[in-house]
Amino acid sequence: MNTTIELPLSTPVNLRDLGGIPISGGVLREGLAIRTDDLATVTPEYAAELVAGGLTAIIDLRSPDEVQVTGRGPLGDHAVAYHHLPFMGSIQAPTGDAPALTHEVMGEMYGGMVEQAAPLIVTALTVIAHSPGATAFHCAAGRDRTGVLAASLLLVLGADDDAIVADYAQTGPNMPAIMARTRTAMSAVFAKLGLDPDVFDGKGLEDDGMELSMRMLLARLREQHGDPLAPLRAAGLDDDTVARLRTRALGR
């Protein structure tokens, strides 16, 4: 049964090209990697703008439940490669006395995500390395799953921790607009799964200090693995892919 529903379409409120970030050997060029909130609910006009601007691939990090509710949206009408790489198998309600969502809780979650979704992260990096134009990657908010992939890409490219954290923290001021934009779609996902949306109260994530989550992730990777790329290398990230990403990122 097709569960795609009619949803209000709008332009992203948390989209940014990663171009301009200092990396090993120079500065990341524009037109390689775009991080964003949900692309499944963009307007047809905005979809056409993205494609005209050089978009050739989309990496959708959302769960199968989220994708089943929204479908691909207007970008599905364009000749853009689509890769569904769900960093989470499903959305589940907290059980027992689960902690409220805070920056600390999210930081812990990011560490587990890198380790558990490492093969998917490697696949995503390979897509970015080989796509002929720009690759956009997104989840719902463009914050957590998207932030983990952005951090992974920037680590591969040799960006330092401060640059990675600064990129991640740019989402902070966008949180109210993100929650407003994603509310309808996420409510539909919760309803489909028979979950109470109130148990996913993200108010604590609107507070200042969200950079703590990313610093926790980077610290965990170094403390537990030495080389922060070790989980990705163990999952298949090879030197050729790293070299191709760095060459493309510098526009060579």
Side-chain angles (χ1 to χ4, degrees):
M1 181 178 66
N2 186 355
T3 58
T4 302
I5 62 174
E6 291 294 329
L7 294 168
L9 302 180
S10 58
T11 58
V13 294
N14 194 32
L15 181 149
R16 54 187 177 274
D17 192 307
L18 294 181
I21 295 176
I23 60 174
S24 178
V27 175
L28 175 55
R29 70 172 177 85
E30 293 186 356
L32 176 68
I34 299 168
R35 58 174 296 170
T36 180
D37 47 319
D38 198 349
L39 287 182
T41 56
V42 298
T43 63
E45 294 78 15
Y46 195 81
E49 286 181 24
L50 287 173
V51 175
L55 181 69
T56 61
I58 294 170
I59 299 172
D60 187 343
L61 306 175
R62 297 174 302 156
S63 68
D65 295 317
E66 293 168 270
V67 174
Q68 196 172 34
V69 164
T70 65
R72 289 184 56 190
L75 277 162
D77 296 329
H78 294 269
V80 175
Y82 176 78
H83 306 270
H84 183 211
L85 303 174
F87 279 13
M88 295 166 46
S90 65
I91 296 174
Q92 298 178 346
T95 58
D97 296 325
L101 294 181
T102 64
H103 300 310
E104 291 85 352
V105 168
M106 300 310 291
E108 289 292 330
M109 185 189 78
Y110 295 168
M113 186 180 295
V114 169
E115 292 158 359
Q116 295 168 23
L120 295 176
I121 295 174
V122 173
T123 299
L125 294 174
T126 303
V127 169
I128 296 170
H130 290 275
S131 295
T135 299
F137 52 93
H138 74 93
C139 49
R143 169 192 167 113
D144 303 311
R145 292 164 286 187
T146 298
V148 166
L149 179 52
S152 299
L153 173 62
L154 292 172
L155 281 170
V156 167
L157 296 178
D160 64 27
D161 286 7
D162 287 343
I164 295 171
V165 171
D167 168 65
Y168 171 79
Q170 287 187 56
T171 292
N174 300 333
M175 282 304 297
I178 291 169
M179 293 182 71
R181 180 172 187 257
T182 60
R183 184 174 294 117
T184 300
M186 293 311 298
S187 294
V189 173
F190 299 149
K192 175 181 178 292
L193 297 174
L195 302 177
D196 179 359
D198 291 339
V199 302
F200 295 90
D201 183 5
K203 291 296 184 181
L205 301 180
E206 293 187 19
D207 298 336
D208 291 338
M210 68 172 283
E211 64 273 6
L212 172 64
S213 302
M214 185 53 63
R215 291 205 181 276
M216 288 178 64
L217 168 60
L218 297 172
R220 171 173 170 168
L221 290 174
R222 289 194 168 85
E223 290 167 2
Q224 296 190 8
H225 303 282
D227 176 4
L229 294 178
L232 303 185
R233 294 191 185 280
L237 178 66
D238 57 32
D239 291 341
D240 288 343
T241 300
V242 171
R244 185 177 180 87
L245 281 168
R246 291 183 176 178
T247 298
R248 291 203 67 210
L250 294 171
R252 294 174 182 169

